[in-house]
Amino acid sequence: MGLTGIQILKKLPKKNCEECGYPTCMAFAMKVAAGQADINACPYVDPAVKEEIAEASAPPVRIIKLGGGEYTYSLGGETVLFRHEKRFENPPLIGTFISTEMQEEEITRRIKLYKQLQWERVGIKLKPEVLCLQDKGNGNKLQEITQRIRNELPWVALILSSLNSDTLRKAIEICGDFKPLIYGANSQNFEEFVQLALETKVPLTIIGNSLDEVSQLSEKALQKGLKELVLDPGSQGVKELFEDLIIIRRSAIKKRFKPFGFPIITFPYRYTDFYLLEILIASVAVCKYASLILLSDLKAEALYNLMVEKMNIYTDPQKPLVVEEGIYPVNGPDEYSPVVITCNFALTYFIVNGEIESSRIPTWLLIKNTDGLSVLTAWAAGKFGADSIAEFVKKCGIEEKIKHRKLEIPGYLAGIKGELEDELPGWEIIVGPREASGLPSALKKLYQEIKESAGVKKDKKVEKETVKEIKEKKETEEKPEEKKVEEIKPKESEVKKEEKISVVSIVSSEEKKEEKVEKIKPREKKGVICIAESINIMSKKIGGAMKARDPKPIQDMAKEETELGADYLDLNIGPAKKNGTEFASWIVKVVEEVVDTPISLDTTNPEAMIAGIKASKKPDKCLINSITIQPERLEKLGPFAAEIGCDVVALLWGAEGLPRDANERAALAVELITKLNEYGIPNEKIWIDPIITPITLGAEQLKESFIFLSMLSEIAPGAKTTVGLSNVSNGVAFRLRPYLNRVLLMMLMKYNIYSAIVDVYDKELVEIAKGKHPDWVALVHKMMDGDEVDSKTLSPKELEIYKTVKVLTGETIFSESWLEI
Ligand code: SF4
C-alpha cells in the first residue's frame, strides 16, 4: 500500500481553499491516496513534496506506455497479486513477430492476419495489438518493415529488436511520436542501449539470463535515470518461467522491490515447437503476470481464446460485464416458443443462453437491464422487481412475437410471482429453476404445454425426452436434500431461526393482548451494539408474513430477538417497490406494539424509509439503514434525517460499487460524511459501514476494512461504525458460519467497532459483543499484533479461534475444512 490519505494530509498546507476542486484538504488527500486525484492539482504543495508523494503513491509495477494518440497502450500499473483483491489494471498485449529474414509472402501473410483476426465480444473489440520486428542483420529491411507496419497497421504497438543500436535509432525515428519498445539491453550492450533509450525517450527491455542478472541490470538502469523498463528474465524452461513471473510480481508488490517493479515480456514459443502447448504456456502467462506475449504465429482458434481469457482476467470485478437489454432469439423461436427473462449481468446471460442453446428448445430470452447486477442483487436494489420487469415486458415487443402469454422467471424470484401477475394482466408467470442447469427440462415441459394449449401437434420426441429428464431432475433434486440432513448437525445455538420461532411463537390471543401492554424492553447497552438481522423479507417465513401483513410471526421474532440481546431490530423490507410507504409504516408499528427496542429500518426505497421512520413512536431513536452517496437516496434521506434527528448508517457503496481498498473507502467516507454534515447531521449520528465481504473472496478486503477503520477516528472524529457481520460467512456452510462471525467480531473490536448487524440467535456471539469473553478477545488481539502464540498450549476452544484468526487474516487460505487442519 502507498501512502494513506492521512499521511498525505499531513503534507498538505491545510488552507481548505477549494482550488484543487475539493471542499477540504482532507477530501483532496483521500482522493490522492485512492488514485482518484493528482497531487499537482494543489498549487500550494512544495515541488519536492509533490515528487515524494507521487513516488510513494505510484503503483508498485510502474506504468509503461507504448504507441501514441488513440492507440496508446499502458502496460503494468498493477497493485495486487490476485484479481479479486482489487483488479488487474492493464491487460497484456498479444501478437507475433516479423523478421527481416522472412520472405515477402510471409510478411504479407502475417500483416493480413492482423487485419483479419478481429472479433467483437460483449461490445469489446478483440484483436492482436503488438508486433515484434526482428532485425537479423539487415538494418535497411527493418526500417522498411517498420514503415510498412506503421502505414498498414496503425493501431499495432511495436517492439523493435536488434543487436545494432544505429539500426534501432533509425527505426525509432520512423515511428515518430508512436513510441516503440526497444528489445533490448543485456550485459554486453547495456551502456550503449541505455544511452539510446535515454536519448530517444523510448522504453527499454532489460534482458537477463537469470533473475539475479535482470535485477542487477534493472537497478543500474534505474540509477542512470531510466524509468521506463520492461523485463525479460530469460527463463530457461516453462517451470522457471512460471516461477520467475511470480517472483518478479510478488517482489514488486509485497516487497516494493523497485528493480522488479516493471512489466514483463514473454515468448512462449521459446519453450516448445508444439503450437498448442505454446498457447497453453501463453494462457498461463496471461494469468501470471505477463504484459507482452509474443507467439510464433497467429491462429484464430488460439488467439481468440487467449483474448477472451485476458478479457475475463482483466475485467474489473467491481464493474460487471453487461449485455444489452433486449429480446434474444435462441434456437430459432416461433410464436409458441417459451419466453424466459433474466438480468443483463454477462455471466448470467452466458450461462442461461448456453443452457437454452443446449436444450435445443426454440426460446425467446428477454434480457432486462439491471446495470450488470445478478438476479437477487438486482431485485434487492429495486432493478428487477415486478414493476420494472412488467414495464420491460410491455415495452420490449415480445407480445407481438408470440401467441401465448407465459413468462418464465428465475427460481430465486418465486416471491414476486403474484405481484408480477398483477402487473402483467393476462400473463401466466412460471417460476423457473433456481439454477440454470434446470432450464433444459423446464423449457421442454413448458414448450409442450404451450403447444398443447394452442392445439399444436405434440412433438413426440421432445415429449419423451421431457418425461425422462423431469424424472431424472426430480431424482437429483431429492438426493441432495437427503444428504443435507445427514451432513448438517448444528449445535442447539445454531438451529435455524425459523425453526426456533415455530417452537416459541405459539401463544394464545389472550397472552398476545397482555404482551401488548407489557412490552419487552431492550437490554442495557454495553459492549458492541447488536442490531438483530433476522426480520428480513428474504426469510421464507418472515417474508411470507410481511407480504400477507400477518403481524404475529414478526412480533414473535421481535420479542425473541430483544430477549436474546438485540439493541436494535433491523427491519429489512428489501426494495419495497410496491406499496412501500404503507408496508414500511405497517411493519414499524407492528414491531413497536410489542417491543421498545429501537428500530433500524432497512430498505433501498427512500420514500418507504421516510414513511417508516415517521410511523415510529420515537423517530429520533430510529436508525436509517442506509444512506449511500447515490443522489437518489442521499438527497431525500439526508435532509429528512437531519430534521428528524435520527442516526444514519453511511454505507460506503460508491458510484462504481464497492471501494477496492482502504484509501478508496476513506475517500468515499470523507465525501459522504461531508455531504451529511452539510445537511446538518453531526458525525456522532453517522454510523460508517465499510462493507464486509465474504471470506470466500479472500481476506484482502477484510484487511482493507481494518486499515480503514484504524484511520476513521482521524478522518471523522466522533463518527460511529457498524458492519453487516454475517457477510463474512456468506456462501459458507450454515454450520460453520458462526465460527467466522464470532472471530471477525473479536477482530473488529480491536478497532473499537461500535455496532454490528448480527445474528442474535448465536448466543456466544452476543456474549462476545457484550464483553463476556475478554480472554478470547485478548487472544485474537494478541495474534493480530503479531505476538507469538503457541498453539500447543491452547484449549480446544482457543484452538478453534486461533485457526479462524489465521483464515481471516489470510495467513491460512480459506476452505471449509479450516477447523480440521
Ligand atoms: Fe487544500 Fe491545496 Fe486543495 Fe487548497 S488546493 S483545499 S490547500 S489541497
Side-chain angles (χ1 to χ4, degrees):
M1 187 175 172
L3 293 179
T4 65
I6 297 295
Q7 288 165 326
I8 292 173
L9 179 66
K10 287 178 182 156
K11 296 176 190 289
L12 295 179
K14 301 187 192 67
K15 288 171 179 264
N16 291 338
C17 64
E18 300 187 28
E19 284 180 46
C20 56
Y22 293 92
T24 58
C25 296
M26 163 82 84
F28 178 66
M30 298 302 153
K31 289 283 180 186
V32 172
Q36 296 162 356
D38 184 350
I39 186 65
N40 292 307
C42 174
Y44 303 107
V45 182
D46 183 80
V49 174
K50 276 185 184 172
E51 178 71 26
E52 186 195 334
I53 292 173
E55 189 63 28
S57 310
V61 179
R62 196 176 280 272
I63 297 176
I64 307 299
K65 290 191 190 290
L66 297 184
E70 62 178 309
Y71 302 120
T72 302
Y73 299 98
S74 296
L75 309 176
E78 305 301 337
T79 58
V80 292
L81 281 177
F82 304 105
R83 173 183 174 271
H84 62 260
E85 291 173 2
K86 189 172 181 185
R87 67 174 174 233
F88 286 172
E89 300 288 338
N90 293 301
L93 305 185
I94 302 175
T96 185
F97 65 93
I98 288 177
S99 129
T100 54
E101 281 178 342
M102 284 176 180
Q103 299 295 316
E104 273 312 303
E105 300 77 51
E106 179 59 9
I107 294 174
T108 303
R109 184 187 75 84
R110 290 188 173 229
I111 291 174
K112 265 192 188 164
L113 285 174
Y114 273 78
K115 294 175 184 171
Q116 287 167 353
L117 298 180
Q118 301 192 10
W119 304 270
E120 190 167 318
R121 188 173 189 268
V122 205
I124 295 172
K125 199 96 179 187
L126 306 176
K127 59 185 177 186
E129 290 158 326
V130 67
L131 180 55
C132 180
L133 305 184
Q134 293 177 334
D135 170 28
K136 298 284 184 183
N138 186 346
N140 289 340
K141 182 83 174 171
L142 186 81
Q143 288 153 34
E144 185 194 307
I145 298 172
T146 305
Q147 188 63 65
R148 186 173 170 194
I149 300 300
R150 286 299 300 127
N151 293 342
E152 294 192 41
L153 305 175
W155 74 88
V156 173
L158 292 177
I159 301 169
L160 302 176
S161 167
S162 176
L163 296 174
N164 185 323
S165 63
D166 287 336
T167 298
L168 286 171
R169 193 183 299 274
K170 286 176 187 154
I172 291 167
E173 275 169 22
I174 292 169
C175 292
D177 293 337
F178 198 80
K179 220 185 243 189
L181 170 68
I182 300 171
Y183 187 90
N186 55 33
S187 52
Q188 279 87 50
N189 64 14
F190 182 76
E191 297 294 338
E192 186 187 349
F193 273 50
V194 165
Q195 195 53 37
L196 174 69
L198 284 168
E199 282 169 21
T200 55
K201 297 190 172 43
V202 161
L204 174 68
T205 310
I206 297 290
I207 308 168
N209 283 318
S210 65
L211 283 182
D212 280 348
E213 194 177 10
V214 173
S215 144
Q216 283 160 16
L217 293 177
S218 170
E219 189 150 20
K220 269 169 72 181
L222 279 168
Q223 283 162 4
K224 287 181 179 290
L226 266 187
K227 290 187 175 170
E228 292 195 298
L229 302 177
V230 168
L231 307 179
D232 176 0
S235 317
Q236 300 301 310
V238 179
K239 182 169 169 277
E240 288 80 0
L241 173 70
F242 185 63
E243 286 171 355
D244 290 349
L245 288 166
I246 291 173
I247 291 169
I248 291 174
R249 172 69 76 88
R250 186 167 275 278
S251 309
I253 305 264
K254 294 290 179 195
K255 310 276 182 208
R256 288 246 159 192
F257 182 59
K258 290 213 160 130
F260 280 170
F262 296 101
I264 309 167
I265 186 169
T266 58
F267 303 85
Y269 62 84
R270 281 181 183 169
Y271 310 103
T272 177
D273 294 328
F274 182 35
Y275 189 68
L276 281 183
L277 188 54
E278 179 188 329
I279 298 309
L280 211 59
I281 297 166
S283 124
V284 171
V286 168
C287 300
K288 293 191 177 293
Y289 294 107
S291 289
L292 290 161
I293 300 172
L294 276 306
L295 304 171
S296 60
D297 198 356
L298 298 181
K299 292 184 184 173
E301 65 278 17
L303 187 65
Y304 178 77
N305 283 302
L306 288 176
M307 292 285 177
V308 171
E309 181 192 359
K310 82 164 179 171
M311 190 177 124
N312 290 338
I313 299 281
Y314 280 80
T315 299
D316 186 344
Q318 198 183 27
K319 289 184 201 157
L321 280 177
V322 298
V323 289
E324 260 183 54
E325 181 175 271
I327 304 173
Y328 289 70
V330 190
N331 303 329
D334 59 18
E335 61 249 36
Y336 302 108
S337 301
V339 181
V340 175
I341 190 164
T342 193
C343 60
N344 78 330
F345 176 36
L347 186 60
T348 306
Y349 165 78
F350 284 120
I351 292 171
V352 170
N353 188 59
E355 292 293 344
I356 297 174
E357 272 180 3
S358 69
S359 77
R360 302 199 300 279
I361 297 293
T363 302
W364 298 103
L365 175 58
L366 304 187
I367 296 296
K368 157 126 185 35
N369 180 12
T370 55
D371 291 335
L373 298 179
S374 59
V375 167
L376 270 183
T377 316
W379 170 81
K383 295 176 194 291
F384 206 47
D387 54 346
S388 58
I389 290 177
E391 194 188 334
F392 170 64
V393 170
K394 284 176 195 162
K395 74 165 192 214
C396 73
I398 188 66
E399 291 181 336
E400 285 85 65
K401 294 183 185 296
I402 52 171
K403 286 194 171 162
H404 65 89
R405 289 293 181 267
K406 288 181 196 285
L407 173 67
E408 184 161 310
I409 60 172
Y412 283 104
L413 294 187
I416 68 165
K417 176 177 159 52
E419 219 179 311
L420 189 52
E421 280 174 341
D422 291 345
E423 298 275 353
L424 278 175
W427 281 80
E428 183 188 343
I429 305 304
I430 317 288
V431 177
R434 287 172 81 91
E435 303 301 333
S437 57
L439 268 173
S441 55
L443 283 175
K444 279 177 186 168
K445 181 169 174 271
L446 182 57
Y447 191 32
Q448 288 297 348
E449 278 174 15
I450 294 169
K451 292 213 283 191
E452 272 172 34
S453 58
V456 179
K457 209 178 158 202
K458 282 186 193 176
D459 181 336
K460 292 285 179 201
K461 187 169 167 275
V462 171
E463 186 189 28
K464 203 172 162 189
E465 281 179 20
T466 306
V467 172
K468 187 169 166 265
E469 283 180 22
I470 291 171
K471 204 175 153 205
E472 281 171 6
K473 184 174 171 263
K474 211 175 158 204
E475 280 168 9
T476 51
E477 274 176 355
E478 279 164 4
K479 276 176 192 160
E481 277 304 312
E482 288 164 18
K483 202 174 165 207
K484 203 171 156 194
V485 173
E486 273 175 29
E487 276 180 2
I488 300 175
K489 290 175 187 162
K491 292 178 189 173
E492 173 59 23
S493 61
E494 297 166 3
V495 174
K496 263 191 172 168
K497 289 144 248 173
E498 287 176 12
E499 290 163 10
K500 290 187 103 182
I501 297 156
S502 64
V503 178
V504 297
S505 66
I506 306 165
V507 288
S508 67
S509 53
E510 284 75 15
E511 283 170 324
K512 196 177 161 192
K513 274 181 214 156
E514 273 186 30
E515 280 166 8
K516 272 191 185 175
V517 182
E518 242 186 89
K519 281 191 199 173
I520 297 173
K521 304 269 183 216
R523 71 167 49 198
E524 212 172 292
K525 295 174 186 65
K526 253 199 243 161
V528 180
I529 298 288
C530 291
I531 306 171
E533 68 181 8
S534 299
I535 301 181
N536 189 320
I537 196 164
M538 294 303 284
S539 146
K540 206 170 159 193
K541 184 164 188 162
I542 292 297
M546 285 180 182
K547 277 174 209 148
R549 300 293 190 266
D550 175 8
K552 189 164 184 317
I554 297 164
Q555 290 179 327
D556 288 342
M557 183 173 272
K559 286 190 281 184
E560 199 172 36
E561 286 191 320
T562 300
E563 279 166 357
L564 288 168
D567 300 305
Y568 279 77
L569 299 179
D570 193 63
L571 309 182
N572 186 339
I573 59 171
K577 283 273 187 177
K578 197 173 179 190
N579 305 324
T581 53
E582 173 273 324
F583 182 16
S585 318
W586 174 81
I587 197 161
V588 169
K589 284 179 187 162
V590 155
V591 170
E592 287 189 347
E593 261 179 34
V594 291
V595 291
D596 277 337
T597 317
I599 301 296
S600 156
L601 189 57
D602 192 344
T603 174
T604 48
N605 179 344
E607 281 78 23
M609 181 72 81
I610 290 169
I613 303 287
K614 277 185 177 171
S616 168
K617 290 176 189 166
K618 298 175 201 159
D620 59 323
K621 297 283 180 273
C622 290
L623 179 62
I624 288 181
N625 186 10
S626 59
I627 292 183
T628 60
I629 197 72
Q630 278 71 34
E632 61 271 21
R633 277 159 85 178
L634 180 65
E635 287 166 11
K636 286 177 186 161
L637 295 178
F640 170 74
E643 187 194 329
I644 294 286
C646 62
D647 288 18
V648 300
V649 173
L651 185 73
L652 298 186
W653 186 262
E656 292 190 341
L658 180 72
R660 285 166 276 218
D661 57 24
N663 283 331
E664 284 193 12
R665 281 177 172 82
L668 184 56
V670 169
E671 198 179 342
L672 184 51
I673 292 167
T674 304
K675 290 228 175 350
L676 294 173
N677 290 164
E678 280 168 11
Y679 288 124
I681 305 171
N683 284 2
E684 290 69 23
K685 287 194 164 287
I686 300 171
W687 302 25
I688 306 285
D689 182 347
I691 305 185
I692 292 296
T693 50
I695 187 61
T696 49
L697 299 179
E700 202 59 32
Q701 280 297 328
L702 293 176
K703 197 171 116 197
E704 294 298 327
S705 289
F706 295 154
I707 296 170
F708 165 73
L709 289 172
S710 68
M711 301 195 298
L712 190 61
S713 61
E714 286 189 77
I715 294 172
K720 299 182 168 97
T721 47
T722 193
V723 291
L725 193 73
S726 308
N727 286 354
V728 74
S729 58
N730 251 342
V732 177
F734 182 75
R735 68 194 157 85
L736 296 171
R737 296 189 66 175
Y739 299 106
L740 293 163
N741 299 347
R742 291 168 199 159
V743 173
L744 178 64
L745 182 65
M746 292 191 266
M747 294 173 84
L748 288 163
M749 286 161 85
K750 186 165 171 55
Y751 301 97
N752 295 321
I753 191 78
Y754 178 75
S755 73
I757 304 169
V758 298
D759 174 7
V760 291
Y761 289 89
D762 182 345
K763 194 167 159 259
E764 204 169 286
L765 179 74
V766 177
E767 286 175 1
I768 291 166
K770 303 299 168 194
K772 290 198 178 155
H773 297 287
D775 43 345
W776 297 350
V777 176
L779 170 65
V780 170
H781 293 186
K782 193 175 172 189
M783 289 180 72
M784 290 172 80
D785 287 336
D787 293 348
E788 273 296 308
V789 173
D790 183 359
S791 59
K792 293 190 194 81
T793 63
L794 300 176
S795 68
K797 181 73 202 173
E798 288 168 336
L799 196 58
E800 169 196 302
I801 293 170
Y802 171 88
K803 288 179 176 179
T804 310
V805 171
K806 292 212 166 242
V807 162
L808 292 177
T809 51
E811 246 185 275
T812 306
I813 293 175
F814 172 76
S815 76
E816 291 203 348
S817 55
W818 89 92
L819 290 173
E820 293 150 31
I821 297 168

